[in-house]
């Protein structure tokens, strides 16, 4: 049986050569109980290692892979998508605000040594907001917000598609732009600017691949 911590601290439990009390492994022994793993983790999943003999008198153990957030399949609490308290406010105010900020970042001309810095920042904003939108699927937004929800999903997909194409990540760009068109079709949305934008970019993308017939099909739809 594992010895009580009090016995260990009092020196009544023999120590192994690596400074860990007998009957413990490096994963079960955490010398500093003040640095317990975050909720949802064990000592093992959070990556604490045992202290060696030279550290036995100290009150802390080092963590492997410092600054890592997720280990061994466990999610840190900070990585979870924050719940949305006011769905209507989020859809009507927060999402449009993110789109404006992302557009402003996309238009920034970065230095040659970091040409896509601002575009990457815009991408992170868009991806985080998309994750929040997708979290609403588990608790459907109010019926009167259905159309707004679908429209904002389309706009974010179009902007992410354009963002990936701007950074020359064409496969990902194609994926998001195609999803935007599928969303518009399934929700029967008539978002003319987004429809033209998505078809134009897909047309140019297929043209760059020398798939001219497919490119023409998208460009014809972009004429609207």
């Amino acid at each position: 049986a594992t010895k009580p911590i009090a016995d260990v601290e009092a020196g009544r439990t023999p120590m192994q050569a690596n400074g860990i009390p007998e009957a413990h492994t490096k994963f079960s022994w955490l010398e500093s109980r003040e640095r317990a793993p975050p909720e949802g983790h064990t000592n093992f999943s959070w990556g604490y290692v045992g202290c060696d003999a030279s550290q036995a008198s100290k009150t802390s153990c080092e963590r492997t892979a410092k600054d890592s957030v997720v280990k061994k399949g466990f999610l840190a609490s900070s990585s979870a998508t924050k719940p949305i308290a006011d769905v209507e406010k989020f859809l009507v105010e927060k999402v449009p605000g993110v789109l404006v900020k992302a557009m402003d970042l996309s238009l920034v001309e970065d230095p040659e040594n970091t040409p896509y810095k601002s575009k990457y920042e815009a991408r992170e904003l868009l991806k985080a907001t998309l994750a929040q939108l997708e979290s609403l699927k588990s608790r459907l937004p109010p019926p009167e917000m259905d159309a707004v929800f679908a429209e904002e999903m389309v706009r974010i997909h179009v902007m992410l598609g354009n963002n990936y194409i701007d950074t020359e990540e064409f496969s990902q760009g194609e994926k998001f732009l195609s999803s935007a068109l599928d969303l518009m079709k399934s929700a029967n949305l008539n978002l003319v600017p987004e429809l033209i934008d998505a078809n134009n970019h897909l047309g140019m993308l297929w043209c760059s691949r020398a798939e001219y017939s497919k490119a023409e099909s998208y460009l014809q739809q972009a004429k609207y």
Side-chain angles (χ1 to χ4, degrees):
T2 302
K3 297 288 186 181
I5 296 172
D7 286 350
V8 175
E9 292 175 345
R12 291 191 290 269
T13 298
M15 303 291 283
Q16 301 174 46
N18 59 4
I20 301 173
E22 288 185 3
H24 278 280
T25 67
K26 65 178 179 180
F27 301 125
S28 65
W29 174 247
L30 178 60
E31 188 172 5
S32 173
R33 281 333 194 235
E34 296 175 358
R35 296 188 61 190
E39 185 177 352
H41 283 274
T42 64
N43 293 346
F44 174 68
S45 72
W46 190 239
Y48 281 106
V49 296
C51 302
D52 58 28
S54 66
Q55 296 174 308
S57 63
K58 296 183 180 179
T59 58
S60 65
C61 293
E62 292 182 356
R63 218 168 32 89
T64 56
K66 285 185 179 179
D67 302 324
S68 63
V69 177
V70 181
K71 298 196 67 183
K72 303 286 183 183
F74 290 83
L75 292 178
S77 56
S78 61
S79 67
T81 302
K82 293 181 179 179
I84 301 169
D86 189 333
V87 173
E88 183 173 353
K89 185 175 181 180
F90 176 76
L91 291 173
V92 176
E93 298 179 17
K94 175 68 182 298
V95 178
V98 169
L99 296 180
V100 170
K101 187 171 183 179
M103 178 59 73
D104 289 342
L105 285 167
S106 298
L107 297 174
V108 173
E109 293 188 12
D110 290 311
E112 289 185 5
N113 59 330
T114 55
Y116 300 139
K117 180 178 181 292
S118 296
K119 289 179 173 59
Y120 290 147
E121 290 178 18
R123 181 184 300 176
E124 290 308 308
L125 278 175
L126 293 168
K127 287 172 67 177
T129 305
L130 179 60
Q132 288 183 298
L133 278 172
E134 290 177 336
S135 74
L136 292 177
K137 291 179 181 178
S138 61
R139 53 186 190 96
L140 295 176
E144 65 272 17
M145 289 285 104
D146 282 350
V148 178
F149 174 82
E151 289 172 3
E152 299 306 337
M153 285 287 285
V154 168
R155 292 187 177 106
I156 287 184
H157 275 77
V158 170
M159 288 191 70
L160 275 169
N162 292 344
N163 179 283
Y164 278 106
I165 287 178
D166 287 344
T167 58
E168 303 181 60
E169 297 167 75
F170 301 117
S171 294
Q172 279 294 94
E174 178 191 353
K175 172 186 170 184
F176 279 103
L177 291 173
S178 297
S179 292
L181 293 176
D182 291 341
L183 285 168
M184 278 188 269
K185 185 176 181 179
S186 63
N188 196 27
L189 296 174
N190 189 29
L191 301 175
V192 177
E194 286 74 19
L195 183 66
I196 293 174
D197 199 2
N199 279 305
N200 256 328
H201 276 87
L202 285 169
M204 290 186 288
L205 178 60
W206 284 106
C207 190
S208 70
R209 295 170 174 171
E211 294 276 356
Y212 301 117
S213 177
K214 199 164 188 175
E216 184 180 5
S217 173
Y218 282 111
L219 294 173
Q220 287 291 337
Q221 294 178 69
K223 290 181 177 180
Y224 196 79

